[in-house]
Amino acid sequence: MSDRKGTGTADALFERAEGKRSSRRYAQAIELYKKALRIYKKTSDIDGLLNCYLSLGDTLRAGGDFRRASRYYTEALNLSGLVEDRVALADAHAGLGLSLRALGEWRQALRHIRHAMGLYRSIDDKEGIGFSLWAKAGTYRIRGEIKRAITLFHEALCLFRRLRNTVGISYSYCGLGGCYRVAGQTDESKRYYSRANRNFKRLGDTFGLAYSYCGLGNVSRMYGDYTGALSQFRKAERLYRRIGDRVSYAYTLWSVATTYKMMGDLNRARKIFEMADTLFKETHDPRGRIYCILGYGELEYLDHMKSRARRLFLKAERLAERYGFKIEMGHARRLMRCLERDRGLPANLP
């Protein structure tokens, strides 16, 4: 009787945590999940433990704590084999893949995402297949294989449209918006981010809305509309702060700093780059760090400190090469060429 009572209490805590997570109150959700987890361990409730590990992984990943998220997903992987739950096993592989991707480990990430896709296919989970396609596309985008990423995002989009899954459709729009911006197709980028933004407003999806506002801000920045860009970034910042997503907030800060750099306000740009860089260090995001190092180098160049700029561009290039980030490596090399030829910086890198 005591075990059943304990399990009931843990189940109630777990449901409360799920509610907090749905409303993006991540810190409160984590505390409730941990309380439930302690009880599930005492009562040896494998199903309860498995659900808790997965939800903790998802919540920590949403808040940018990718290392801890990876540990919980690994615990879920170890347990899912005991209960032969292929859905949970696939979810754990997918979550671990996304966490490793954010830590710059895109090769390992791809292996886990492919494993997840295979499991989803084996049980004909079309939503899971669509999610895996979206996750795989984003991994190739980070890798710098933009054409391949675009193809996969379109595959995910087609599947989500057949399933009438508006959330999946909208996140695929955001993925395409980012890829087309990097590919230099700014009009296409705007079109997809605008579609996503309209959908997220209807859905009331806070994270998605922030994501689309940041994307639209970068589109405005690429057009040279810096006032419009800052307005969109402010909307994204407010929403990311509300939900406690430090990584997405850091990327938004980087975008704000880059905009001020383009406006010639170098002091303000430097301060905001430093804020973003601090968050990237805390969340162990190497790609974000590379962007900030490149930003510092550009500021040094614009301040006529060319030797310092060169050291920073070289540092960014080495780091990008270590992680295999093609786009960032290309940015660093392009900036080095500009410095060596002394013809000024590129007008506006994506």
Side-chain angles (χ1 to χ4, degrees), residues 303-343:
D303 208 22
H304 308 291
M305 299 293 184
K306 293 178 185 177
S307 60
R308 292 183 186 177
R310 186 176 186 278
R311 284 196 296 272
L312 288 162
F313 294 154
L314 283 171
K315 181 179 179 180
E317 182 189 8
R318 285 195 296 268
L319 195 55
E321 189 171 12
R322 184 196 308 172
Y323 283 95
F325 296 150
K326 292 182 178 180
I327 298 294
E328 292 71 26
M329 201 186 310
H331 286 341
R333 289 172 180 172
R334 185 180 176 192
L335 287 165
M336 280 292 297
R337 287 196 298 271
C338 290
L339 186 148
E340 288 164 3
R341 295 169 184 170
D342 200 17
R343 292 180 181 175

Side-chain angles (χ1 to χ4, degrees), residues 38-91:
R38 285 194 289 270
I39 300 171
Y40 286 135
K41 284 181 178 177
K42 287 180 182 177
T43 58
S44 301
D45 186 326
I46 302 299
D47 288 327
L49 283 169
L50 181 57
N51 289 330
C52 243
Y53 285 141
L54 284 171
S55 290
L56 274 164
D58 290 344
T59 308
L60 288 162
R61 179 168 58 83
D65 194 339
F66 302 113
R67 285 190 171 177
R68 277 206 298 164
S70 296
R71 289 197 288 270
Y72 282 115
Y73 286 129
T74 302
E75 293 284 0
L77 283 176
N78 294 335
L79 272 185
S80 56
L82 298 177
V83 295
E84 296 183 356
D85 187 334
R86 280 191 287 177
V87 174
L89 185 59
D91 290 348

Side-chain angles (χ1 to χ4, degrees), residues 232-269:
Q232 300 281 20
F233 292 143
R234 278 193 289 271
K235 294 174 187 176
E237 281 184 80
R238 283 195 295 270
L239 293 173
Y240 283 137
R241 279 201 303 267
R242 184 191 303 172
I243 62 179
D245 186 334
R246 294 183 299 160
V247 173
S248 300
Y249 179 52
Y251 276 104
T252 306
L253 286 173
W254 173 85
S255 297
V256 171
T258 300
T259 305
Y260 279 119
K261 180 200 72 184
M262 299 308 301
M263 296 169 69
D265 192 339
L266 305 190
N267 288 333
R268 185 176 289 188

Side-chain angles (χ1 to χ4, degrees), residues 155-170:
E155 286 182 28
L157 178 60
C158 288
L159 180 52
F160 285 131
R161 280 175 170 163
R162 288 200 298 272
L163 296 170
R164 300 179 185 274
N165 184 325
T166 309
V167 174
I169 289 168
S170 304

